[in-house]
Amino acid sequence: MSAEIKYIETPHPVTGVVNSKIGMWLFLATEVMLFGGLFSAYIILRVGAASWPKADEILNVPLATVNTMVLIGSSVTMVMAWASLMLKSLNKFRLYMGITLLCSVIFLVIKYVEYSEKFHHGWGPATNNFFATYFTLTGLHGLHIIGGLVVNTYFLIVAGREWKNRPVMFTNRIEAAGLYWHFVDLVWIFLFPALYLI
Amino acid sequence: MSEAHHPEPGFIQKYIFSVDHKVIGIQYGITSLVFLFLGFCLMMLMRWQLAFPGEAMPLAGKIFTNGMPGGVMLPEFYNSLGAMHGTIMIFLGVVPLGVGAFGNYLVPLMVGAPDMAFPKLNAASYWVYFVGGMIMLASFFIPGGAANSGWTSYPPLSVIATAGQTYWLVGMVFLITSSLLGSVNILVTIIQLRAPGLSFFKLPFFVWAQFVTSFLLLLAFPPLEAAGILQLMDRVAGTSFFMPSGLVVSNTPMEIAGGGNAILWQHLFWFLAHPEVYVLILPAIGIITEIIVANTRKPLYGYKTLIYSVIFLGLMSFLVWAHHMFMTGMGTTMSNFFQVTTMIISIPSVVILTVLIITLWGGSIRFNVPMLFALTFLPMFAIGGLTGLPLGLTASDIYFHDTYYVIGHFHYVVAPGSLFALFAGIYYWYPKAAGRKMSSFWGKVHFYGSVVSINLIFFPMLFQGLAGLNRRLYDPTFYANGAAIQDLNVLISIAAWSLGAFQLIFIANFFLSMKFGKKVNDNPWEATTLEWQTPTPPPHGNFLQDPVVCRGPYEYSVPGEAKDYLPQNEESTRSEQVA
């Protein structure tokens, strides 16, 4: 009778989750395979290389450490933003989401500083396979950050209206966006040691 | 949601930018059929060169001024046609038809849901697919033409190829994204939106096939996306992911950093492309299972066996990819491993085939058009599978590798295999979407014509391969062994063109039946699954009443019942309940 799609707001009685959450998990599975493929390529190239530069002498480890902290911090504020909605506080949501956005912008700015430092030295993706993997992997990760930034900004803009009309659905959306954001954070936590430290 | 109170949407809203899964399914269907025909046309052009190498084709010089000056096909154009034939048939034709069209249209109906779990995402995945297809088409019109390094795009050749390859990579990224969005949608729909009472082991097998297929797409496509990104970097940013050191092209050393690994591409590519084979065949097996059961009027033999086989097949398909790479010198240990897994994966395939053949035993078979296609699928898929065994064994693969035997083998799986099943599906579900049946006389003409022509195309290819004729050869008469059997190429080409002619009958039948076909009731095949329990065509929201499922999918000819089929949501007419 009804054309309504079930389990958008209330969890499915058997699986115990809403549609958007399963959807996000499955999407993240594809992301795991994407970065899995790239990491495998990195391992194969590095193992097969005649020589591989010492990463910590070329790349800027302190800046990347700061970036790691910034990103982990943004993951925490992302959770707080979702928790604020669960506690029915839209203002706190706006605050924490704002901080999350700020952190993502800081991350991108630091990344930009790092990139321009390399270009200044005349190092680009074509220099050797070390830089090729560095630029490709961090670049793709950066695109994921930009994607998250765009979506989270959208949520911050429409927050007032959505909170008034569909609070449960909006909270679920923020939770799904949070899952994505944690994943992007997690990718960085693998990228940082793999590219900068070892 | 709040759309219920909106006024009736206009044409564009209703048919172009719709979020209704049925409209999107039909959009996928029409688009992919157009691409299939286009991909086939590319091949019919190539068949001219293969049958009459170097001879001018009438009229062609005027149409393809760049690729065929004076009507004679240039080698570069031939390579483009070959690469794009494979790409279009697989990524723009069979996958979108099997998963995009049939999956979209039927999965929500079969699980008793009003729509897909994410209708807007569904529309997005169609439009991303459409854009990817347009990019692929656009590449024909750029300088240097479309991609010409084979559908497998092996580097270093693909990295130094003309700009068409960049279009190919960008197009692929779009197509992959579309498939990922689509498979997430199908999976969530099956997991979350099944009607009350419809447990996983009461699902029609078609839904199971779509479920496993979607998992394959979900997990196998991203590594190709990764590889595509790396190759794009190699081409655009000058990296050397797949470019070895010391590469010399046309006697000039390439100015690249080097240190890359060309075999890495093959591993990433085949990690997708082997599961992809099962993406092509599983929806097809799902379709013919539904058709065979409904038209034998008896329950499916070994329902759970079929499901466990298909799950095992799905898992194993991730462990066989390097059997495409025996000739790369990756070592005998690796080759032995993949040889063994390849032999193992043939077991569930044989189980599936056996289950379907035993289902026919003792049935009262209705030989209608969808059933004819479905029945033909069985031996065709069997030939395709059995001819694969010599390729999976390393010793014989040394001889068969890159010959026409390979072409014959995999085309038997996907052309008279998958495509025949998809035709069967179109004839079978057409009445649900259109309210009218396709003409069965012209359907039979299409069927018999196609069966004869398609076997005349692919069976001789097995012999060509045995004679050692290489695939991708621009001039098949170049080597003496090929020149000796050139007559076969003429036969194959004539059969290919006649196959094309028979498809014109299908196209005419498809469109004319919308207007002139015989009107049918809601359940013309007297089938049990939920999609037949809706009005025809199903309205927005699909079901008049939310269905409640009380039995398994294939209850045909149950003793003591008033009719020989029991729909999944209907109460038994007998007084005592069936245990």
Side-chain angles (χ1 to χ4, degrees):
Chain A
M1 195 71 164
S2 64
E4 212 145 292
I5 295 161
K6 286 195 249 179
Y7 312 121
I8 290 177
E9 301 205 336
T10 47
H12 188 287
V14 177
T15 59
V17 285
V18 292
N19 296 345
S20 58
K21 206 169 182 178
I22 291 205
M24 184 49 78
W25 281 342
L26 291 170
F27 172 70
L28 293 182
T30 73
E31 292 280 33
V32 168
M33 293 304 288
L34 174 68
F35 281 98
L38 291 168
F39 270 104
S40 326
Y42 165 65
I43 292 166
I44 298 283
L45 288 174
R46 182 161 176 176
V47 168
S51 67
W52 197 260
K54 275 189 144 357
D56 51 350
E57 288 168 8
I58 299 173
L59 302 178
N60 196 329
V61 178
L63 268 186
T65 314
V66 173
N67 244 354
T68 311
M69 294 304 156
V70 169
L71 215 50
I72 293 176
S74 78
S75 245
V76 175
T77 56
M78 189 77 201
V79 179
M80 299 297 281
W82 172 66
S84 312
L85 286 183
M86 296 295 277
L87 295 169
K88 314 259 180 271
S89 166
L90 183 63
N91 286 333
K92 276 198 173 164
F93 163 79
R94 285 188 165 134
L95 172 73
Y96 285 120
M97 195 51 134
I99 300 176
T100 309
L101 291 180
L102 190 67
C103 286
S104 1
V105 172
I106 294 174
F107 180 90
L108 289 173
V109 169
I110 293 181
K111 204 79 238 160
Y112 171 77
V113 172
E114 274 190 66
Y115 272 20
S116 41
E117 200 181 316
K118 304 291 168 298
F119 290 138
H120 191 71
H121 279 95
W123 295 330
T127 307
N128 54 32
N129 267 341
F130 167 75
F131 278 112
T133 36
Y134 167 77
F135 278 108
T136 308
L137 286 175
T138 57
L140 195 66
H141 177 258
L143 284 180
H144 278 78
I145 297 272
I146 292 172
L149 186 66
V150 169
V151 171
N152 288 343
T153 310
Y154 167 78
F155 281 139
L156 192 58
I157 292 168
V158 300
R161 194 184 72 209
E162 293 290 304
W163 183 246
K164 210 173 99 202
N165 296 338
R166 294 173 281 195
V168 180
M169 192 169 160
F170 184 61
T171 312
N172 288 339
R173 283 178 158 186
I174 297 300
E175 192 184 5
L179 288 174
Y180 171 80
W181 194 250
H182 302 320
F183 175 81
V184 174
D185 189 9
L186 194 66
V187 169
W188 178 256
I189 289 176
F190 278 93
L191 278 181
F192 176 48
L195 291 177
Y196 288 78
L197 301 180
I198 54 173
Chain B
M1 287 198 271
S2 57
E3 271 121 62
H5 303 293
H6 286 186
E8 182 71 6
F11 177 83
I12 290 185
Q13 198 67 29
K14 197 171 172 184
Y15 293 109
I16 309 291
F17 294 109
S18 173
V19 292
D20 187 319
H21 74 97
K22 298 179 291 296
V23 178
I24 296 171
I26 292 169
Q27 286 176 328
Y28 260 117
I30 304 274
T31 318
S32 53
L33 283 170
V34 169
F35 275 119
L36 278 174
F37 191 70
L38 188 77
F40 185 43
C41 287
L42 301 185
M43 181 41 69
M44 287 195 280
L45 264 182
M46 289 175 78
R47 286 310 320 179
W48 174 269
Q49 166 65 22
L50 289 169
F52 313 109
E55 284 179 38
M57 184 177 175
L59 288 175
K62 294 202 175 79
I63 306 168
F64 307 101
T65 42
N66 291 329
M68 299 175 76
V72 180
M73 189 177 286
L74 295 176
E76 295 80 11
F77 188 57
Y78 176 86
N79 285 342
S80 274
L81 292 178
M84 294 312 283
H85 166 74
T87 307
I88 289 176
M89 287 309 218
I90 292 171
F91 297 109
L92 289 161
V94 178
V95 176
L97 188 56
V99 183
F102 282 103
N104 251 313
Y105 197 93
L106 293 171
V107 166
L109 289 172
M110 282 185 171
V111 301
D115 205 316
M116 295 287 259
F118 310 113
K120 284 180 190 159
L121 194 68
N122 202 12
S125 68
Y126 170 75
W127 286 106
V128 172
Y129 155 69
F130 188 80
V131 171
M134 288 304 120
I135 292 174
M136 291 289 188
L137 284 188
S139 71
F140 278 103
F141 302 100
I142 59 166
N148 51 19
S149 313
W151 80 281
T152 50
S153 287
Y154 279 5
L157 182 65
S158 58
V159 176
I160 58 172
T162 49
Q165 183 64 21
T166 307
Y167 279 65
W168 188 88
L169 290 166
V170 174
M172 282 307 292
V173 170
F174 275 88
L175 296 179
I176 292 168
T177 309
S178 157
S179 287
L180 294 179
L181 297 179
S183 55
V184 166
N185 220 336
I186 288 179
L187 286 170
V188 177
T189 306
I190 297 174
I191 295 169
Q192 294 277 89
L193 300 184
R194 279 168 291 121
L198 188 57
S199 59
F200 263 93
F201 279 112
K202 282 185 184 149
L203 285 175
F205 179 71
F206 176 83
V207 179
W208 267 102
Q210 290 285 336
F211 189 71
V212 175
T213 305
S214 297
F215 261 111
L216 297 184
L217 283 173
L218 195 77
L219 300 177
F221 249 141
L224 181 67
E225 193 160 25
I229 290 167
L230 297 182
Q231 195 179 104
L232 202 58
M233 289 294 284
D234 273 4
R235 289 182 56 90
V236 178
T239 57
S240 305
F241 289 113
F242 303 126
M243 302 295 273
S245 305
L247 194 65
V248 179
V249 178
S250 316
N251 290 325
T252 16
M254 280 201 76
E255 289 183 16
I256 48 163
N261 186 340
I263 302 297
L264 175 61
W265 165 269
Q266 298 190 22
H267 278 294
L268 290 170
F269 180 85
W270 288 113
F271 186 82
L272 154 90
H274 199 83
E276 178 79 10
V277 174
Y278 294 92
V279 170
L280 300 173
I281 200 72
L282 290 183
I285 293 175
I287 289 168
I288 63 144
T289 306
E290 299 301 320
I291 294 171
I292 284 183
V293 177
N295 287 305
T296 46
R297 316 308 294 168
K298 69 189 264 275
L300 179 62
Y301 177 89
Y303 170 72
K304 284 198 175 173
T305 312
L306 203 52
I307 290 171
Y308 291 134
S309 303
V310 85
I311 294 172
F312 183 65
L313 197 70
L315 290 175
M316 282 306 292
S317 72
F318 284 102
L319 296 174
V320 296
W321 79 88
H323 67 206
H324 298 268
M325 299 165 57
F326 288 148
M327 297 293 278
T328 58
M330 63 184 175
T332 48
T333 317
M334 289 272 276
S335 294
N336 283 341
F337 173 80
F338 284 103
Q339 171 176 265
V340 170
T341 55
T342 305
M343 293 303 118
I344 292 173
I345 203 172
S346 63
I347 298 169
S349 317
V350 171
V351 170
I352 290 171
L353 212 50
T354 311
V355 162
L356 291 172
I357 290 171
I358 299 179
T359 300
L360 298 173
W361 185 267
S364 58
I365 299 177
R366 297 175 174 175
F367 286 101
N368 46 35
V369 179
M371 188 61 169
L372 288 176
F373 274 101
L375 288 174
T376 311
F377 171 91
L378 301 175
M380 296 293 115
F381 177 62
I383 294 175
L386 291 173
T387 51
L389 291 176
L391 295 169
L393 295 165
T394 48
S396 41
D397 183 62
I398 292 173
Y399 182 77
F400 287 127
H401 186 85
D402 257 356
T403 63
Y404 268 85
Y405 184 88
V406 181
I407 312 262
H409 151 67
F410 72 72
H411 278 90
Y412 256 108
V413 179
V414 290
S418 285
L419 272 176
F420 268 29
L422 293 167
F423 276 131
I426 292 170
Y427 283 106
Y428 185 68
W429 279 293
Y430 187 91
K432 181 44 70 180
R436 292 168 188 270
K437 263 190 194 177
M438 288 172 77
S439 154
S440 59
F441 173 77
W442 290 111
K444 281 179 184 167
V445 173
H446 173 222
F447 166 75
Y448 287 110
S450 299
V451 168
V452 173
S453 329
I454 213 161
N455 278 290
L456 284 177
I457 297 172
F458 297 121
F459 213 78
M461 284 190 185
L462 300 173
F463 293 116
Q464 288 182 317
L466 286 166
L469 184 63
N470 276 81
R471 70 190 284 202
R472 290 179 177 151
L473 211 52
Y474 166 66
D475 181 354
T477 58
F478 188 78
Y479 298 106
N481 63 336
I485 51 162
Q486 179 58 13
D487 291 350
L488 278 180
N489 264 330
V490 179
L491 168 71
I492 293 172
S493 291
I494 292 169
W497 298 324
S498 94
L499 181 66
F502 282 110
Q503 304 321 302
L504 297 178
I505 293 174
F506 169 76
I507 295 170
N509 192 358
F510 186 89
F511 286 107
L512 291 177
S513 295
M514 282 180 199
K515 193 127 176 70
F516 305 110
K518 198 176 125 213
K519 281 198 174 172
V520 291
N521 63 6
D522 290 342
N523 192 355
W525 312 108
E526 300 174 311
T528 52
T529 42
L530 286 179
E531 82 271 25
W532 302 107
Q533 318 308 322
T534 63
T536 305
H540 188 63
N542 294 345
F543 294 89
L544 295 180
Q545 283 162 341
D546 288 344
V548 176
V549 171
C550 45
R551 57 171 48 79
Y554 303 119
E555 305 229 342
Y556 289 97
S557 305
V558 179
E561 293 291 344
K563 50 186 182 184
D564 74 340
Y565 63 103
L566 275 181
Q568 285 195 276
N569 59 343
E570 243 173 56
E571 290 299 326
S572 168
T573 49
R574 283 194 300 178
S575 47
E576 75 273 34
Q577 268 295 329
V578 187

